[in-house]
């Protein structure tokens, strides 16, 4: 399956004799760039604001817990991407620390599910988790449907909220929301309203150490925990693969599972009758799952 996040046609001219046939065999997003600029809209982002079309599987302790210790273990570096409460939970004075790099539904994500739903995925109850604070050190962390009573401090990219249909209410922070850098806050402010949380207190920047992750090839375990196959570019990334090449053999290797997340051409490429197979799962420089085939020329 080939999922295209961004498709810019621009000045790209593809003749029948110069068609690259692309077969995607990995669970990731592919960007075909053919003009300058970018687009912030994303089907994967929209997906996060909707309830899953299939029943969510809460793995292990994340089937739903009433114990704060179990919830903390679930959000540890060796925990799971999705963790849930069975009802209201009072952990007053305690800190929930969210750490590690995880994939959920093919995207970088950590989900705090504070709700219940019926077989039609309608929200039947929204719960409250009471803590002193949540420290978010995992990218893609989001609060789903319920309320966090306490402060939330964000040190990683991709923080957002999720609110589904059903009983009245929305994802809420009954406290203050802080970001460790202005860039993190600016990225959050650019989100559509449907992906934001209701905040009863203040939203501000309190400078701290932003958690970052390197680009590279990755694999995900049963509960979404990420392991690097390699950091940066793989061994099949030959000279010119990321800066621009017209050599089909170089492109083919770089798009494989030991290649690079960003591959570029510097001229028309005639790969008539050949398949370029995109294999493997990769993180880009912003800790998002992505493969890009850039067929453009642009000014710096």
């Amino acid at each position: 399956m080939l999922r295209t996040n961004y498709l810019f046609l621009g000045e790209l001219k593809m003749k029948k004799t110069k068609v690259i046939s692309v077969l995607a065999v990995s669970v990731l997003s592919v960007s075909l760039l053919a003009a300058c600029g970018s687009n912030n809209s994303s089907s994967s982002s929209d997906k996060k604001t909707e309830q899953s079309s299939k029943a969510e599987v809460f793995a292990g302790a994340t089937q739903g817990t009433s114990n704060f210790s179990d919830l903390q273990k679930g959000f540890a570096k060796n925990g799971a991407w999705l963790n849930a409460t069975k009802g209201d939970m009072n952990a007053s004075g305690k800190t929930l620390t969210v750490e590690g790099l995880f994939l959920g539904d093919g995207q970088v994500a950590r989900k705090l599910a504070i709700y219940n739903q019926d077989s039609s995925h309608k929200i039947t109850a929204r719960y409250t988790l009471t803590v002193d604070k949540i420290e978010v050190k995992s990218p893609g962390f989001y609060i789903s449907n319920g309320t966090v009573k306490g402060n939330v401090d964000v040190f990683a990219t991709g923080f957002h909220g999720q609110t589904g249909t059903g009983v009245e209410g929305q994802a809420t922070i009954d406290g203050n929301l802080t970001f460790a850098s202005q860039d993190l806050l600016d990225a959050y402010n650019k989100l559509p309203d449907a992906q934001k949380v209701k905040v009863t207190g203040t939203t501000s920047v309190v400078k701290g150490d932003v958690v970052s992750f390197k680009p590279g090839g990755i694999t995900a375990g049963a509960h979404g925990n990420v392991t690097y196959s390699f950091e940066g570019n793989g061994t099949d990334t030959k000279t010119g693969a990321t800066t621009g090449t017209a050599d089909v053999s170089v492109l083919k290797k770089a798009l494989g599972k030991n290649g690079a997340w960003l591959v570029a051409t510097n001229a028309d490429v005639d790969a008539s009758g050949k398949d370029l197979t995109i294999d493997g799962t990769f993180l880009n420089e912003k800790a998002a799952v992505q493969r890009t085939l850039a067929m453009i020329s642009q000014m710096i």
Side-chain angles (χ1 to χ4, degrees):
M1 178 177 66
L2 177 63
R3 292 192 295 157
T4 304
N5 273 355
Y6 310 110
L7 179 60
F8 300 100
L9 294 180
E11 298 299 320
L12 177 65
K13 297 179 180 179
M14 299 182 68
K15 299 180 180 179
K16 290 183 179 179
T17 58
K18 292 186 178 181
V19 176
I20 298 178
S21 176
V22 180
L23 173 63
V25 297
S26 54
V27 184
L28 44 81
S29 300
V30 176
S31 300
L32 300 180
L33 304 184
C36 299
S38 63
N39 188 331
N40 289 326
S41 64
S42 167
S43 59
S44 62
S45 295
D46 293 340
K47 181 179 179 182
K48 291 179 182 177
T49 66
E50 301 172 356
Q51 293 306 302
S52 174
S53 60
K54 58 185 178 180
E56 292 172 322
V57 179
F58 292 169
T62 61
Q63 291 177 353
T65 182
S66 301
N67 186 291
F68 179 77
S69 178
D70 289 341
L71 188 65
Q72 179 60 84
K73 289 177 182 178
F75 277 117
K77 289 182 179 180
N78 59 348
W81 84 271
L82 188 158
N83 296 279
T85 65
K86 285 184 175 179
D88 294 337
M89 180 183 293
N90 189 344
S92 301
K94 296 183 179 180
T95 297
L96 176 64
T97 303
V98 182
E99 295 182 290
L101 181 61
F102 288 75
L103 295 189
D105 291 334
Q107 300 295 325
V108 173
R110 292 305 285 282
K111 178 177 180 178
L112 172 58
I114 326 175
Y115 66 96
N116 201 355
Q117 64 182 12
D118 61 20
S119 59
S120 299
H121 312 297
K122 298 291 186 181
I123 306 303
T124 57
R126 301 183 192 273
Y127 304 136
T128 297
L129 169 63
T130 302
V131 292
D132 178 53
K133 63 180 177 179
I134 297 179
E135 291 188 345
V136 180
K137 298 180 180 180
S138 286
F141 175 80
Y142 62 106
I143 298 169
S144 183
N145 291 298
T147 296
V148 172
K149 188 174 183 180
N151 298 327
V152 176
D153 301 331
V154 179
F155 299 89
T157 60
F159 172 80
H160 62 286
Q162 180 189 57
T163 297
T165 59
V167 297
E168 185 178 356
Q170 68 182 95
T172 299
I173 296 172
D174 187 4
N176 300 324
L177 173 61
T178 68
F179 293 87
S181 73
Q182 187 64 47
D183 286 345
L184 291 178
L185 175 57
D186 289 345
Y188 175 77
N189 284 334
K190 291 177 182 178
L191 294 175
D193 289 343
Q195 293 184 37
K196 293 180 180 178
V197 296
K198 177 182 177 181
V199 180
T200 64
T202 61
T203 299
S204 63
V205 173
V206 176
K207 290 187 177 181
D209 295 328
V210 176
V211 178
S212 62
F213 295 89
K214 295 181 179 180
I218 60 171
T219 58
H223 302 314
N225 50 309
V226 167
T227 300
Y228 278 92
S229 303
F230 53 84
E231 295 181 354
N233 299 326
T235 55
D236 285 344
T237 308
K238 306 304 179 183
T239 302
T242 61
T243 57
T245 183
D247 188 326
V248 175
S249 65
V250 173
L251 286 175
K252 188 171 183 177
K253 285 182 175 294
L255 290 170
K257 62 182 179 180
N258 292 314
W261 79 267
L262 172 63
V263 181
T265 66
N266 58 7
D268 291 340
V269 177
D270 189 347
S272 302
K274 297 180 180 180
D275 287 340
L276 297 182
T277 301
I278 303 172
D279 193 7
T281 305
F282 285 72
L283 290 184
N284 66 15
E285 294 173 343
K286 296 183 179 180
V289 176
Q290 185 177 347
R291 296 299 291 278
T292 296
L293 175 57
M295 299 180 288
I296 62 174
S297 177
Q298 62 182 3
M299 297 178 63
I300 299 176

